[in-house]
């Protein structure tokens, strides 16, 4: 469904990606794990069109979308839940959700209700400025805002970042539900343990390059991965 | 009523023109664009009326329409270039636009003479400008027709802006203002919606300029310089842009200050400046900020009832 081939991205003089290649099959959850500064966000932002690659292709359903404007990428069904949530603080919960549906045509009322059913805490806070929500609620809103666009591929950038352990569980439960609904997900996480538990397939990125890939279950049990990303104590 | 207009008519007309200009800049500000092009577009509107009236005797509604269409036609290619810039860089580029408009007005006749071969052709009349003949205004319900036209224009702008804000356009502009890249990842075509705000603001400013010409009567380029552009921004900043009433309050207050402060004579400009500074420091969201008035009213009510100042501000919440 999504194929990245030999993607090179730089920030001015700094090269952030040196030939990233990866693949996401329809209906699967693919994890992209790696340390701080490895290039995870850069990869997602390049797919979503916020960054332009110097070289390489991004093929989505057979069409090369590399270098497209973000709104065109979204209109193809690739929707990103950005790192750090990025809800629009002064706007209300409902306004944020309606903006999420911007790329769609037709009535969104049913989808709005569906999001409220899935996230009852948002329902109670519809008219509240989204900036006044807790971190966890803001993450729910960011996810709800992406879902209301009816994504064909959902990209999540560290959805557990900065959340308390209990809330992290909630977030992963939501991802689990989305997986059961056969939503295609590209999941970026530093919390490699959780990501590898939920994903079907995984890539490990280091210094802007993919250094390992394989079925998530295999990586989970790989001593080198355990050593580098999952912590010794678990081995 | 008419007596009041003999005394205050000019001040009221100028305040209404300023209100229309303040509303025009609030459109670009609501999309997060710091554009100072409104004085330039106002000049285009004023000259459209002046030239059409003196050359063809066209009625005001026609020059209003021509001015607004011309402003949109100019704003789209201009915006496509300058809206790549942000913040203070955009401000500088749009000040540059105002200067270009002024230079074209100053030297336009030379160019037109060269192009037409008529060495005595006068269209813009350089620094001297165009003087419109005096016309006795008609009076309706004690109010001159020039004022009615301005009132109707301001009312139309308010209606238009209030419905825009409630619609998805308002949400989209707010999202671009708050976080451009988040807006883009939600599928919003940021470039197009910025351009739309820029063109609407330009048309509104040009319309204000077109309607101002019969009132100002002497249309010369010095009216539309840098100071004018900054003044328009001050209206919107002082009044606040959270609500459509903010720019109206800001423009009304700043337009009436020089009159109100007349008794200060030579110190007038200093007092004027101090008042603007003080209100921006203590009311950074503008004197028209609805939540400021809500808390003030609530506090006053508590104070009146209990005789003591309220110690807690009520939570800010939009209904
Ligand atoms: N705007 C920028 N300008 C310059 N360099 C940048 C910029 N953003 C990221 N980088 C650099 O690019 C590299 C990859 O950054 P990226 O944000 O993709 O990492 P990441 O894997 O998402 O890290 P984290 O887990 O901390 O979010 C880093 O070396 C970073 O310093
Ligand atoms: Mg990151």
């Amino acid at each position: 469904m999504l194929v990245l081939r030999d993607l090179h991205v730089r920030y001015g003089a700094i090269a952030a990606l040196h030939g990233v290649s990866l693949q996401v099959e329809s209906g699967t959850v693919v994890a992209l794990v790696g340390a701080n500064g490895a290039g995870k966000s850069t990869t997602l932002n390049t797919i979503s069109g916020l960054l332009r690659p110097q070289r390489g292709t991004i093929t989505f359903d057979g069409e090369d979308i590399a270098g497209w404007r973000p709104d065109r990428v979204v209109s193809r069904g690739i929707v990103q839940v950005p790192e750090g949530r990025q809800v629009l603080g002064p706007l209300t919960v409902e306004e944020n959700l309606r903006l999420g549906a911007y790329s769609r045509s037709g009535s969104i009322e049913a989808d709005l209700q569906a999001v409220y059913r899935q996230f009852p805490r948002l329902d109670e806070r519809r008219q509240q400025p989204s900036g006044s929500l807790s971190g966890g609620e803001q993450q729910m809103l960011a996810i709800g805002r992406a879902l209301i666009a009816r994504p064909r591929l959902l990209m999540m950038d560290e959805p557990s970042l900065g959340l308390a352990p209990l809330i992290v569980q909630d977030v992963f439960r939501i991802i689990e539900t989305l997986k059961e609904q056969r939503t295609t997900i590209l999941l970026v996480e530093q919390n490699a343990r959780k990501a590898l538990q939920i994903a079907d397939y995984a890539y490990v990125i280091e210094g802007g390059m993919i250094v390992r890939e394989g079925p998530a279950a295999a990586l989970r049990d790989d001593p080198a991965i355990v050593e580098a990303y999952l912590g010794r104590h678990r081995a | 009523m008419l007596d009041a207009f003999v005394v205050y008519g000019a001040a009221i007309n100028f305040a209404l023109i300023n209100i229309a200009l303040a509303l025009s800049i609030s459109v670009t500000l609501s999309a997060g664009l710091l554009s100072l092009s409104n004085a330039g577009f106002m000049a285009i509107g004023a000259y459209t009326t002046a030239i059409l009236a003196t050359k063809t005797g066209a009625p005001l509604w026609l020059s209003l329409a021509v001015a607004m269409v011309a402003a949109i036609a100019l704003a789209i290619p201009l915006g496509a270039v300058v809206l790549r810039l942000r913040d203070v860089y955009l401000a500088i580029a749009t000040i540059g636009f105002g200067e270009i408009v002024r230079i074209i007005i100053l030297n336009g006749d030379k160019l037109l003479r060269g192009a037409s071969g008529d060495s005595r052709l006068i269209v813009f009349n350089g620094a001297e400008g165009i003087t419109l003949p005096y016309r006795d205004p008609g009076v309706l319900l004690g109010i001159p027709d020039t004022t009615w036209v301005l009132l109707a224009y301001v009312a139309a702008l308010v209606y238009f802006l209030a419905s825009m804000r409630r619609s998805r356009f308002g949400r989209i502009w707010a999202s671009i203002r708050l976080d451009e890249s988040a807006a883009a990842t939600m599928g919003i075509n940021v470039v197009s919606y910025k351009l739309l705000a820029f063109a609407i603001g330009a048309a509104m400013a040009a319309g204000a300029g077109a309607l101002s010409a019969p009132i100002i009567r002497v249309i010369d380029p010095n009216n539309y310089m840098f100071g004018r552009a900054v003044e328009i921004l001050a209206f919107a900043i002082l009044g606040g842009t959270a609500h459509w009433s903010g720019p109206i309050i800001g423009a009304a207050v700043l337009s009436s200050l020089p009159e109100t402060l007349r008794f200060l004579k030579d110190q007038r400009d200093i007092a004027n400046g101090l008042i603007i500074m003080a209100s921006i420091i203590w009311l950074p969201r503008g004197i028209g900020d609805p939540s400021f008035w809500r808390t003030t009213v609530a506090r006053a009510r508590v104070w009146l009832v209990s005789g003591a100042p309220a110690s807690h501000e009520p939570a800010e919440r939009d209904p």
Side-chain angles (χ1 to χ4, degrees), chain A residues 63-223:
Chain A
E63 192 172 22
D64 187 4
I65 60 164
W68 279 22
R69 267 198 335 257
D71 55 290
R72 286 189 68 201
V73 175
V74 173
S75 72
R76 283 294 189 277
I78 302 182
V79 181
Q80 187 176 9
V81 181
E83 189 176 33
R85 307 189 269 281
Q86 296 196 9
V87 300
L88 302 165
L91 300 189
T92 64
V93 167
E94 178 135 344
E95 284 173 324
N96 268 277
L97 289 174
R98 286 187 182 276
L99 275 167
Y102 168 80
S103 61
R104 283 185 32 199
S105 52
S107 170
I108 62 155
E109 299 309 318
D111 294 67
L112 209 52
Q113 295 315 318
V115 169
Y116 285 139
R117 260 198 311 280
Q118 189 164 9
F119 305 103
R121 297 175 72 86
L122 298 182
D123 194 3
E124 294 157 22
R125 293 167 175 75
R126 285 182 192 208
Q127 302 305 330
Q128 207 164 305
S130 57
S132 69
L133 300 181
S134 75
E137 289 159 359
Q138 288 189 14
Q139 187 63 61
M140 306 296 167
L141 177 56
I143 295 171
R145 190 176 68 186
L147 290 179
I148 211 164
R150 292 206 189 149
R152 300 184 47 229
L153 168 65
L154 183 66
M155 302 197 295
M156 307 176 99
D157 196 347
E158 306 212 31
S160 72
L161 188 72
L163 298 180
L166 269 177
I167 312 293
V168 172
Q169 299 230 324
D170 284 347
V171 168
F172 276 94
R173 215 168 291 135
I174 291 162
I175 301 173
E176 193 73 53
T177 315
L178 294 173
K179 180 180 174 171
E180 280 159 17
Q181 294 162 355
R182 312 278 305 151
T183 311
T184 312
I185 300 176
L186 177 54
L187 173 66
V188 158
E189 262 299 338
Q190 270 196 60
N191 191 332
R193 175 169 308 156
K194 289 250 178 219
L196 292 180
Q197 270 164 18
I198 211 164
D200 301 301
Y201 200 85
Y203 294 86
V204 179
I205 186 169
E206 226 179 81
M209 280 181 287
I210 301 290
V211 292
R212 280 295 308 273
E213 68 175 276
L219 292 193
R220 239 177 2 234
D221 300 330
D222 183 315

Side-chain angles (χ1 to χ4, degrees), chain B:
Chain B
M1 207 46 196
L2 192 57
D3 290 347
F5 263 92
V6 173
V7 184
Y8 296 116
I12 290 171
N13 284 339
F14 285 127
L16 286 170
I17 295 165
N18 286 341
I19 286 172
L21 291 167
L23 290 170
S24 80
I25 202 171
S26 76
V27 180
T28 34
L29 287 174
S30 78
L33 301 170
L34 183 56
S35 159
L36 293 178
S37 58
N38 304 53
F41 284 112
M42 183 197 184
I44 289 169
Y47 271 90
T48 304
T49 300
I51 293 169
L52 284 183
T54 50
K55 298 281 172 201
T56 69
L60 190 56
W61 66 262
L62 184 62
S63 32
L64 175 68
V66 172
M68 292 178 93
V69 170
I72 292 171
L74 188 58
I76 289 172
L78 175 68
V81 178
V82 298
L83 294 180
R84 293 162 192 268
L85 303 170
R86 269 186 223 180
D87 309 326
V88 72
Y89 302 100
L90 175 61
I92 291 168
T94 48
I95 289 169
F97 163 71
E99 282 304 293
I100 291 170
V101 170
R102 204 167 64 88
I103 289 165
I104 288 177
I105 291 169
L106 281 174
N107 301 298
D109 284 354
K110 276 184 221 152
L111 299 174
L112 289 176
R113 280 172 200 159
S116 68
D118 175 355
S119 64
R120 282 170 309 171
L121 183 74
I122 294 178
V123 176
F124 297 104
N125 203 22
E128 250 175 78
I130 304 170
T131 304
L132 293 179
Y134 178 76
R135 180 187 68 90
D136 247 336
V139 173
L140 184 67
L141 301 174
I143 296 174
D145 56 10
T146 41
T147 307
W148 276 120
V149 169
L150 283 174
L151 271 173
Y153 185 61
V154 166
L157 294 191
V158 166
Y159 176 77
F160 179 74
L161 286 185
S163 13
M164 280 299 251
R165 288 219 171 177
R166 270 196 312 272
S167 73
R168 61 193 222 140
F169 291 98
R171 281 197 297 276
I172 288 168
W173 284 335
S175 73
I176 295 173
R177 180 183 75 236
L178 295 167
D179 190 333
E180 208 177 304
S181 64
T185 52
M186 279 184 267
I188 290 164
N189 185 336
V190 173
V191 176
S192 307
Y193 279 94
K194 279 185 174 178
L195 203 51
L196 180 68
F198 189 67
I200 291 175
M204 288 182 171
L211 298 183
S212 74
I215 289 159
I216 299 175
R217 284 193 46 230
V218 183
I219 313 302
D220 71 66
N222 293 334
N223 244 321
Y224 310 102
M225 300 203 307
F226 175 62
R228 183 86 199 171
V230 173
E231 189 187 34
I232 296 172
L233 179 66
F235 297 149
I237 301 289
L238 182 84
T241 50
H243 191 254
W244 55 261
S245 62
I248 295 183
I249 295 170
V253 168
L254 281 189
S255 314
S256 61
L257 266 190
E259 288 301 315
T260 330
L261 298 177
R262 199 173 280 283
F263 68 94
L264 287 174
K265 306 218 168 66
D266 290 349
Q267 277 77 48
R268 189 166 79 169
D269 285 346
I270 299 176
N272 201 353
L274 285 177
I275 290 174
I276 297 177
M277 269 172 62
S279 51
I280 286 175
I281 290 168
W282 282 299
L283 290 171
R285 292 167 65 189
I287 52 180
D289 177 18
S291 62
F292 165 74
W293 289 107
R294 267 200 298 278
T295 45
T296 308
V297 168
R299 257 192 218 161
R301 202 176 284 152
V302 172
W303 194 78
L304 284 175
V305 170
S306 66
S311 52
H312 290 290
E313 294 187 15
E316 265 180 35
R317 249 183 101 178
D318 281 312

Side-chain angles (χ1 to χ4, degrees), chain A residues 22-45:
Chain A
L22 60 78
Q23 195 161 339
V24 180
E25 294 302 338
S26 178
T28 64
V29 176
V30 172
L32 178 62
V33 298
N36 283 114
K40 306 183 294 294
S41 299
T42 304
T43 305
L44 289 202
N45 290 341

